[in-house]
Amino acid sequence: MNKICVIGTGYVGLVSGVCFAEIGNKVTCADIDVDKIEKLKNGIMPIYENGLKEMCSRNYKNNSIEFTTDIKYAVQNNDIIFIAVGTPPLPDGNADLSAVKTVSAEIAQYINGYKIVVNKSTVPVGTQKMVKKIISGIQSKYDFDVISNPEFLREGTAVYDTMNMNRAVIGSESETATEIMLELHKPFKCECLITTPESAEIIKYAANSFLATKITFINEIANLCELVGADVKDVSKGIGMDPRISPDFLKAGIGYGGGCFPKDTMALLKMAENYRYDFKILRNVIEVNKLQRLRIIDKLKETLVSIDNKLITVLGLAFKAGTDDMRESPAIEIIDFIQKSNGKVRAFDPCAMERAKNIFNSIEYTDDAYSAVKDADAVVIITDWDEFKHLDLKHMKELMHGNTVIDGRNIFPFDEMIKLDFDYHCIGRSK
Ligand code: NAD
């Protein structure tokens, strides 16, 4: 059993902390957000992740996990200290490392024996060295090692991904710390890649940027399919059957969003720029992804001609299914456009409405999808929640005032939509 503390109790920190407790460690989750920690102490999850609440409650009852805002206590009572704070983009696109720096200084201030400091946050190359420098600049009494251990979980399946992780990347300069990290990951039965901190740091950005590129590539193919009369779903299937390509991340749609891909592609581009390298393909990926969102807006404009006073229903607010995360969700830009065009917005999302209310308080929220589409002039699909895929389309048509559906996720059967006389517009398939 290891004594672990995770500083930063967000999507990554909370899920990692709970899963480390689940495999038999004693975990302290620490955060500066008092409200979040209070909620957790009362069994309320600050985020939605499938299976998280049950696993967290079980381990909290067993005393395997605790929650605190006391960083000194968290550092002094544990041997392995994970940093899982946010690294949001600065206005220029570089990663904001201020939270990582603050936490590093706090660790240095409170250190009371040998500690392994493990950075799980997504950070540019050189951050492991920076953390080391901050800690040794403040204290020289105690030994410590700093490891880079990027996180690969996906929001929506974060608990499953952690419990079934396929790899752990351990960027280390210390044999002792590497051994402890290998031991810690043994119950996950995953492959462990031991590498330098620099390689570990770039692996995370390279992985996310590669996936963002794959999504962007299929979106460009989809746009071409619309022009030449091909069906991108079949094209994706056809190329995904090649094991060198694989079918994953080949769903054409509205473009990538969320708290990771947009900021990580931008941070990698900036990192390259800082080393005077022009990462051309990535620059274009970022640009094309922005345009992909605008295509949905264009389809809406072309179909409705005028948005003025029209009721537009937005189904799905989260950036993807399975999460309540609205960071960089295409819904934000699309709702903003409708409101600026004098349209009325009604929205429904099975999980993200509470978060959405902090962004848009002047739109109408409903309790279910059917109430949302009632009397709508047009429906826009933003998130591919399963419950939207199973909507009774005939009933939806009867409830609507108009017949326009802009499907940003290709969730509805094309032929059926046409047969039901919807004015149906999706991605990469045309009439
Ligand atoms: P998040 O915003 O959900 O959580 C970050 C937490 O850190 C917040 O609870 C915040 O209050 C806390 N925090 C900030 N400053 C702090 C401080 N000084 N002391 C203590 N706590 C502090 O972010 P997240 O989505 O969990 O991401 C964390 C890191 O992991 C980021 O670098 C992100 O890029 C990376 N990552 C995220 C995902 C994902 O799917 N969300 C996946 C892999 C990696």
Side-chain angles (χ1 to χ4, degrees):
M1 185 195 72
N2 293 284
K3 289 189 79 188
I4 296 173
C5 105
V6 185
I7 306 181
T9 310
Y11 285 91
V12 166
L14 179 58
V15 172
S16 302
V18 168
C19 292
F20 279 132
E22 179 76 6
I23 58 164
N25 299 289
K26 191 115 176 79
V27 178
T28 307
C29 280
D31 205 288
I32 39 165
D33 187 332
V34 180
D35 185 47
K36 197 175 261 193
I37 293 299
E38 266 321 297
K39 274 191 176 142
L40 284 162
K41 283 181 178 170
N42 289 302
I44 302 165
M45 294 302 107
I47 54 163
Y48 174 76
E49 271 302 330
N50 193 14
L52 181 64
K53 191 174 164 52
E54 298 74 15
M55 195 182 273
C56 187
S57 309
R58 192 166 60 241
N59 283 285
Y60 190 61
K61 276 188 199 130
N62 287 345
N63 291 321
S64 305
I65 193 162
E66 60 181 350
F67 301 101
T68 184
T69 52
D70 186 345
I71 308 287
K72 179 179 179 186
Y73 164 83
V75 170
Q76 296 197 335
N77 282 279
N78 293 290
D79 308 316
I80 308 176
I81 300 161
F82 279 88
I83 302 176
V85 294
T87 48
L90 287 166
D92 70 356
N94 278 296
D96 181 353
L97 296 178
S98 55
V100 174
K101 288 180 188 166
T102 305
V103 169
S104 306
E106 284 174 327
I107 294 170
Q109 193 186 344
Y110 302 132
I111 192 168
N112 58 344
Y114 174 69
K115 308 276 174 192
I116 301 179
V117 179
V118 187
N119 184 41
K120 242 191 194 315
S121 298
T122 303
V123 291
V125 171
T127 305
Q128 180 265 2
K129 283 207 163 45
M130 181 197 81
V131 171
K132 241 171 102 172
K133 208 167 152 192
I134 292 174
I135 300 177
S136 51
I138 296 174
Q139 70 84 37
S140 53
K141 198 167 165 193
Y142 300 105
D143 282 345
F144 66 96
D145 285 305
V146 183
I147 301 273
S148 170
N149 172 226
E151 178 54 58
F152 299 100
L153 63 75
R154 297 164 300 173
E155 281 177 31
T157 49
V159 173
Y160 176 88
D161 288 350
T162 307
M163 294 307 291
N164 300 280
M165 65 173 80
N166 74 336
R167 70 197 192 284
V169 173
I170 300 167
S172 170
E173 295 168 311
S174 148
E175 270 181 36
T176 314
T178 304
E179 280 311 312
I180 293 172
M181 287 297 284
L182 287 173
E183 203 52 42
L184 177 66
H185 284 85
K186 240 184 200 159
F188 292 124
K189 298 190 176 76
C190 61
E191 261 190 70
C192 291
L193 173 72
I194 298 155
T195 181
T196 62
E198 289 75 15
S199 299
E201 285 165 341
I202 207 164
I203 282 169
K204 174 65 196 177
Y205 281 123
N208 274 1
S209 297
F210 185 82
L211 295 172
T213 304
K214 202 171 170 192
I215 293 171
T216 306
F217 182 81
I218 199 65
N219 282 339
E220 292 246 72
I221 293 288
N223 299 342
L224 188 57
C225 282
E226 284 178 24
L227 297 174
V228 301
D231 182 336
V232 76
K233 277 199 159 182
D234 288 345
V235 176
S236 287
K237 204 170 174 185
I239 61 175
M241 286 160 105
D242 183 334
R244 293 170 303 174
I245 296 176
S246 104
D248 298 329
F249 286 82
L250 277 186
K251 259 198 218 162
I254 204 165
Y256 60 79
C260 290
F261 284 9
K263 89 170 168 60
D264 292 350
T265 45
M266 188 53 90
L268 184 57
L269 183 68
K270 286 287 158 186
M271 196 165 77
E273 262 177 43
N274 296 341
Y275 286 85
R276 293 195 183 80
Y277 181 74
D278 182 13
F279 204 145
K280 292 189 190 65
I281 187 171
L282 200 53
R283 193 152 32 81
N284 284 302
V285 164
I286 294 166
E287 190 53 36
V288 171
N289 191 60
K290 281 187 195 141
L291 296 175
Q292 198 66 13
R293 289 180 186 188
L294 297 181
R295 287 182 72 85
I296 295 294
I297 292 177
D298 286 344
K299 283 175 196 269
L300 203 54
K301 279 200 287 201
E302 275 164 29
T303 320
L304 292 183
V305 186
S306 163
I307 310 287
D308 191 30
N309 226 13
K310 298 255 166 69
L311 174 60
I312 316 234
T313 293
V314 171
L315 287 184
L317 295 161
F319 85 93
K320 68 169 180 177
T323 180
D324 59 346
D325 197 346
M326 291 253 338
R327 287 178 289 188
E328 292 278 339
S329 170
I332 299 172
E333 210 168 325
I334 288 161
I335 292 175
D336 203 43
F337 160 76
I338 300 168
Q339 288 192 317
K340 283 192 178 128
S341 312
N342 247 345
K344 287 179 281 184
V345 180
R346 195 191 276 155
F348 171 71
D349 186 289
C351 268
M353 288 197 293
E354 282 315 305
R355 282 191 195 274
K357 284 174 191 168
N358 296 326
I359 306 170
F360 296 108
N361 56 15
S362 61
I363 66 174
E364 185 190 346
Y365 295 95
T366 61
D367 291 336
D368 64 276
Y370 291 116
S371 315
V373 301
K374 193 170 179 304
D375 299 329
D377 290 293
V379 170
V380 184
I381 306 292
I382 307 278
T383 320
D384 55 345
W385 285 101
D386 276 346
E387 73 167 86
F388 299 158
K389 292 179 192 164
H390 300 125
L391 284 173
D392 178 339
L393 296 170
K394 193 162 171 274
H395 185 44
M396 174 166 133
K397 176 84 191 321
E398 285 159 4
L399 287 170
M400 285 175 66
H401 173 251
N403 68 341
T404 300
V405 173
I406 313 285
D407 181 356
R409 300 288 183 181
N410 285 350
I411 61 169
F412 294 137
F414 191 87
D415 293 342
E416 194 182 336
M417 291 301 279
I418 304 302
K419 215 160 93 192
L420 285 169
D421 203 25
F422 278 107
D423 188 9
Y424 182 58
H425 301 267
C426 52
I427 309 285
R429 292 180 295 169
S430 55
K431 282 168 259 184

